[in-house]
Amino acid sequence: MKEQFQAYVLRQHDQEGVTASIEQLKKEDLPNGDVTVQIHYSSVNYKDGLATLEKGGVVRQYPMVPGIDLVGTVEESVSARFAPGDRVISTGFEPGVSHYGGYSEYARLQSEWLVPLPQGLSEQEAMAIGTAGFTAALSVDALIHAGISPDMGKILVTGATGGVGSMAIAILAKLGYTVTASTGKKQQEEALLRSLGASEVISREEADAPIKGAMGKQQWAAVVDPTAGPALAERLKQVQYGGAVAVSGLTGGSDFESTVFPFILRGIQLMGIDSVYCPMTKRERIWAKLGGEWKPDRALALGVREITLGQLPHTLENILRGGAVGRTVVRICSE
Ligand SMILES: C=CC(=O)SCCNC(=O)CCNC(=O)[C@H](O)C(C)(C)COP(=O)(O)OP(=O)(O)OC[C@H]1O[C@@H](n2cnc3c(N)ncnc32)[C@H](O)[C@@H]1OP(=O)(O)O
Ligand SMILES: NC(=O)C1=CN([C@@H]2O[C@H](COP(=O)(O)OP(=O)(O)OC[C@H]3O[C@@H](n4cnc5c(N)ncnc54)[C@H](O)[C@@H]3O)[C@@H](O)[C@H]2O)C=CC1
């Protein structure tokens, strides 16, 4: 391990608020953990953008190295689960929130947070999937467990050009579902969304148009919703009998107002998706699928950008503005 290494560090100051810069850290600056990882790639999620904001609600203490995702090689380990040279993924749990995360050449982590890099994925692909793709896969898994099959009708994916949305389209289409993509970028990105596997692309305005009364026309067998906001209430009114909504995010807002009617008249389910504390058995099952029959090949081929630590400020601002398309990986050291 190098004596000094680079990390992107957030610090809180009385006058300036939260600042971010690339700093040289030492091994002893790393927090406690039983596994030290040399990081090869991290990724950019909406939550990483929130982490840079003083009132973003994500970072629990300063200084902090953000980056909720990382992949790399185990350098040192006192855990029986991992040995030096093992390739591991970390998503969610404390890194980037209350423990130094992935925007760094090294991380010291708790072995309970780590998943072995699954067969079928390179390190770059694992981060192109990252928390967003893992959340998309958890959403699809929830729909399948709710009994939603491809023959039941169309699946609406909101925030379709985003990380969760684009990965969800690629996985659903690969599994034979018919996908309608809702996007705020229809004019610029319709072709990309169709290449990912959407058979229909509609504007956010069309998808979210207010419906008079408590119920609407039955349109969707299910919804994968990383955007939520007040329009979630309109989506609930349009889910068909026995359908389901997997809600994972809040880029459209955190509040919505609904009635019980879609639930009691059409027996629909509203399912919350959490990737952060997802239990390890399920985590490993979903990652194995992501390296195998659910691998989002089209999203990996079409929708991934690679940046360096120095390009983070602009990229994190852009994701908060709703400007990101597809996924961005951060190259830290080469594999
Ligand atoms: C990849 C995942 C995602 O992208 S999830 C979306 C990104 N995350 C967020 O936007 C959450 C940001 N958090 C907030 O905005 C706020 O914390 C809040 C609105 C959720 C709650 O704020 P409030 O001021 O009411 O309470 P506290 O911040 O003091 O927290 C209360 C209680 O909740 C626990 N908690 C807060 N944030 C999280 C979190 N991200 N994950 C899990 N738990 C969270 C917090 O620890 C407190 O519980 P306690 O038992 O007292 O520790
Ligand atoms: N529950 C969980 O475990 C997880 C939750 N999330 C949440 O999911 C959401 C999406 O995350 P990412 O895919 O990483 O972000 P992203 O920025 O890549 O995608 C967000 C999408 O939302 C769209 N959007 C922006 N403003 C909007 C608005 N006002 N109305 C509707 N859509 C809007 C964007 O155009 C973009 O397509 C975030 O809220 C994030 O916090 C993400 C991963 C895990």
Side-chain angles (χ1 to χ4, degrees), residues 141-181:
D141 189 60
L143 296 187
I144 291 170
H145 279 94
I148 310 300
S149 51
D151 59 324
M152 285 172 66
K154 297 194 271 191
I155 313 292
L156 176 70
V157 175
T158 69
T161 63
V164 177
S166 60
M167 288 285 161
I169 294 171
I171 297 170
L172 286 164
K174 187 168 181 175
L175 297 182
Y177 289 90
T178 306
V179 178
T180 297

Side-chain angles (χ1 to χ4, degrees), residues 44-48 50 58 68 130-136 138 158-166 182-185 204 208 225-231 235 247-253 272-277 318-328:
V44 177
N45 295 281
Y46 189 80
K47 188 175 176 182
D48 298 314
L50 288 176
V58 167
I68 60 171
T131 285
F134 180 65
T135 303
L138 287 173
T158 69
T161 63
V164 177
S166 60
S182 156
T183 177
K185 306 183 183 80
R204 190 186 294 166
D208 296 357
D225 193 0
T227 66
R235 284 163 216 144
V247 64
S248 57
L250 73 172
T251 54
I273 305 299
D274 171 55
S275 64
V276 180
Y277 294 104
N318 190 44
I319 201 167
L320 286 174
R321 276 199 303 269
V325 174
R327 291 279 297 154
T328 299

Side-chain angles (χ1 to χ4, degrees), residues 41-176:
Y41 290 95
S42 183
S43 88
V44 177
N45 295 281
Y46 189 80
K47 188 175 176 182
D48 298 314
L50 288 176
T52 65
L53 302 178
E54 188 157 27
K55 296 201 168 11
V58 167
V59 172
R60 312 306 281 181
Q61 76 214 32
Y62 294 94
M64 182 52 59
V65 174
I68 60 171
D69 293 346
L70 64 91
V71 66
T73 315
V74 172
E75 182 106 349
E76 296 168 3
S77 172
V78 289
S79 154
R81 275 185 74 215
F82 297 100
D86 288 352
R87 298 207 287 178
V88 290
I89 300 173
S90 174
T91 69
F93 293 111
E94 308 304 325
V97 174
S98 56
H99 191 102
Y100 284 8
Y103 296 162
S104 171
E105 290 183 74
Y106 291 93
R108 195 175 293 124
L109 302 164
Q110 294 183 19
S111 49
E112 309 89 82
W113 300 337
L114 301 176
V115 173
L117 181 70
Q119 293 218 326
L121 291 181
S122 69
E123 293 187 340
Q124 202 259 14
E125 287 174 332
M127 283 299 99
I129 292 170
T131 285
F134 180 65
T135 303
L138 287 173
S139 306
V140 173
D141 189 60
L143 296 187
I144 291 170
H145 279 94
I148 310 300
S149 51
D151 59 324
M152 285 172 66
K154 297 194 271 191
I155 313 292
L156 176 70
V157 175
T158 69
T161 63
V164 177
S166 60
M167 288 285 161
I169 294 171
I171 297 170
L172 286 164
K174 187 168 181 175
L175 297 182

